[in-house]
Amino acid sequence: MPRRLGELEDAVMTRVWQWNRPVTVREVLEDLQKDRSIAYTTVMTVMDNLHQKGWVRREVDGRAYRYTSVSTRAAYSAALMNEAWSTSDNPAAALVAFFGMMSAEQREALQDAMRVVQLPGAPESDAGR
């Protein structure tokens, strides 16, 4: 299970995930600077840390690196949800509480996901017939 990203790590990874292409420290820095004052070396350190932690891979491009995500935000979110659920002393109650917090749109997305992923032992849906 990946460790939860820190605030700045998440801000950097958000850009890497959204852009969905190899990015440089400079590109991330310039986008981050729209919202906050931050130094190049800070962003470089965060991106190096993300590389060391296995969140991004990097390739040399001239005198700089280009960073690419190793996974998706969806996979990261799913891993966090799984970790929270699996550490509960009552997983069924945790799921009931979680479902109770969902908006109508989230419940609809859950129903769509359940149609896509047929769990072992679950009855077949009409879509599979």
Side-chain angles (χ1 to χ4, degrees):
M1 163 62 196
R3 181 185 62 81
R4 183 175 199 90
L5 295 171
E7 180 187 347
L8 188 52
E9 289 173 328
D10 187 69
V12 168
M13 285 305 301
T14 293
R15 281 141 180 95
V16 174
W17 283 320
Q18 285 176 341
W19 296 340
N20 196 28
R21 61 173 174 76
V23 300
T24 64
V25 171
R26 175 78 49 206
E27 290 173 309
V28 174
L29 171 72
E30 289 172 358
D31 200 61
L32 285 170
Q33 286 179 330
K34 294 175 185 174
D35 300 325
R36 64 175 88 190
S37 176
I38 190 165
Y40 180 91
T41 54
T42 301
V43 177
M44 183 176 62
T45 299
V46 169
M47 293 185 81
D48 184 61
N49 289 343
L50 289 167
H51 175 255
Q52 297 299 322
K53 293 175 182 180
W55 286 103
V56 294
R57 65 179 141 266
R58 66 185 181 193
E59 294 181 18
V60 175
D61 182 14
R63 294 178 29 167
Y65 287 110
R66 287 206 173 266
Y67 294 84
T68 308
S69 69
V70 171
S71 187
T72 64
R73 178 172 287 281
Y76 168 66
S77 297
L80 291 178
M81 289 187 291
N82 186 59
E83 174 70 11
W85 179 64
S86 66
T87 59
S88 172
D89 60 349
N90 187 340
L95 281 175
V96 169
F98 179 66
F99 295 154
M101 293 178 199
M102 294 176 120
S103 68
E105 293 81 17
Q106 290 169 323
R107 285 191 300 276
E108 187 175 324
L110 176 62
Q111 289 171 339
D112 291 344
M114 293 300 293
R115 282 191 281 281
V116 171
V117 179
Q118 214 28 242
L119 300 176
E124 282 194 43
S125 69
D126 291 337
R129 293 185 186 161

